[in-house]
Amino acid sequence: MLEFFKITFQVSGVSTNIFLPPLISFIVSFFTSMSGVSGAFILLPFQISILHYTSPSVSATNQLFNLIAIPSGVLRYIKEKRMLYPLAGIITAGSVPGILVGSWMRLKYFPDPKKFKFFAGLVLLYIGAKLLKDIFYATKSSSKPHSFVLKRTTFSLFRSTFIFNDKLFTFPNLPIFFLSFCIGIIGGIYGIGGGALVIPFLVAYFKLPIYAIAGATLLSTFISSLAGVIIYQILGQYYPHLSVSPDWSLGFLFGVGGMLGMYLGAKTQKYVPTKIIKSILCFCVVFISLKYILNFFIS
């Protein structure tokens, strides 16, 4: 029966049950969207290790997943008046040019799957460490907000402010811009929008509440991923010996599952403690990162 639903994708060469990609992306996106992360950083190791999709086009396919899956979560956050537009704009302005640089570096320096896995492992280990630190930080934070609506958002050249849960929060624009540029480079290489990298900084260093910034990071990830897909599509013309352009069919299946998962995750986020969500993510990220790093030295 399972063989009856098996399908082979022409671009990637992946052969799998047609229901597996949307099922996995639904589960991943449901939890990660609560933290303002699309889940692409978890789906990439799944594609490489389980589906054996190791060509450079896996990065573009991963960003295609973001394009299809993220809008449902973004719309949910907008509907609940939890979209911090100034922050989304700053992150996007920095990450898009960074993704351009990172996409080129992916093709120039990381076409070999073994080297790319090692790089991915280092990135994931960093994310895991930041998540772990944020978990301990969250245990000392205040109680669950009684109001989730953003109020009185202001923007200037150097600083932006907003009111959330009756408290005034301020963040510097330029440091977040340059941070986003660096993260964009990593995101371009790794095939993610960058939300998984920027969220730990915003929470741990800039002390911004996760409930207030999740929508902004998802929105910026969507725009950055759009730039990434376009860039990879263009670069594919200059690297005919490599598989660079996304696998549209596989990316669509991942995106459909992620679309439903992100909508439900964004809807239920305010009912789930942040500590529980990030503990699950931290375990997954650290496990995968150590596996990739150890395999690089053992194999």
Side-chain angles (χ1 to χ4, degrees):
M1 178 64 71
L2 293 178
E3 291 294 325
F4 180 77
F5 294 105
K6 197 170 186 179
I7 184 174
T8 300
F9 299 89
Q10 294 183 354
V11 175
S12 61
V14 169
S15 182
T16 185
N17 187 292
I18 194 172
F19 295 109
L20 183 60
L23 175 62
I24 295 299
S25 62
F26 169 79
I27 296 173
V28 170
S29 299
F30 174 76
F31 289 102
T32 58
S33 62
M34 298 181 190
S35 296
V37 179
S38 69
F41 73 105
I42 293 180
L43 290 181
L44 185 63
F46 173 80
Q47 293 182 74
I48 294 175
S49 296
I50 305 300
L51 300 183
H52 306 293
Y53 185 6
T54 57
S55 65
S57 63
V58 68
S59 296
T61 301
N62 217 38
Q63 291 184 332
L64 176 60
F65 153 79
N66 282 338
L67 293 186
I68 300 172
I70 288 179
S72 63
V74 168
L75 291 175
R76 186 67 206 184
Y77 282 116
I78 292 176
K79 183 178 180 180
E80 295 184 2
K81 298 181 180 180
R82 290 196 286 153
M83 180 57 66
L84 191 56
Y85 290 104
L87 180 61
I90 294 168
I91 297 174
T92 302
S95 60
V96 169
I99 284 179
L100 175 61
V101 176
S103 299
W104 171 78
M105 292 178 63
R106 169 70 168 100
L107 301 177
K108 185 72 173 179
Y109 300 107
F110 298 100
D112 178 69
K114 183 177 180 180
K115 293 180 180 179
F116 181 51
K117 278 189 175 183
F118 178 70
F119 174 80
L122 294 177
V123 174
L124 287 171
L125 185 61
Y126 166 78
I127 296 173
K130 297 300 297 180
L131 285 172
L132 185 61
K133 181 178 180 180
D134 191 40
I135 289 171
F136 286 111
Y137 169 78
T139 59
K140 302 176 182 180
S141 63
S142 59
S143 59
K144 187 176 179 181
H146 59 80
S147 174
F148 291 88
V149 177
L150 291 171
K151 301 177 181 178
R152 287 178 54 190
T153 302
T154 62
F155 173 82
S156 64
L157 180 60
F158 297 104
R159 304 193 71 83
S160 297
T161 64
F162 65 96
I163 294 178
F164 177 76
N165 195 35
D166 298 331
K167 295 181 181 179
L168 178 66
F169 293 90
T170 304
F171 57 89
N173 297 338
L174 293 181
I176 293 179
F177 171 83
F178 289 114
L179 171 66
S180 300
F181 175 75
C182 296
I183 287 175
I185 294 177
I186 297 175
I189 298 174
Y190 188 51
I192 59 178
L197 293 170
V198 74
I199 275 283
F201 278 103
L202 296 178
V203 174
Y205 290 109
F206 296 100
K207 311 301 182 183
L208 302 181
I210 186 66
Y211 294 106
I213 64 176
T217 55
L218 278 180
L219 178 57
S220 63
T221 299
F222 171 79
I223 301 174
S224 301
S225 297
L226 175 60
V229 170
I230 294 174
I231 291 168
Y232 272 111
Q233 193 71 34
I234 295 174
L235 289 177
Q237 310 301 317
Y238 299 94
Y239 292 85
H241 60 290
L242 293 175
S243 176
V244 178
S245 301
D247 188 322
W248 294 89
S249 299
L250 181 60
F252 176 79
L253 283 181
F254 275 116
V256 168
M259 183 188 304
L260 181 58
M262 286 199 191
Y263 180 82
L264 294 177
K267 184 176 181 179
T268 59
Q269 183 226 38
K270 56 188 178 183
Y271 304 109
V272 181
T274 305
K275 183 180 178 181
I276 294 178
I277 303 170
K278 292 185 178 178
S279 296
I280 297 174
L281 287 178
C282 186
F283 172 80
C284 295
V285 169
V286 172
F287 175 81
I288 295 171
S289 64
L290 292 179
K291 179 178 182 297
Y292 280 179
I293 294 173
L294 291 175
N295 286 346
F296 178 80
F297 293 103
I298 296 175
S299 59

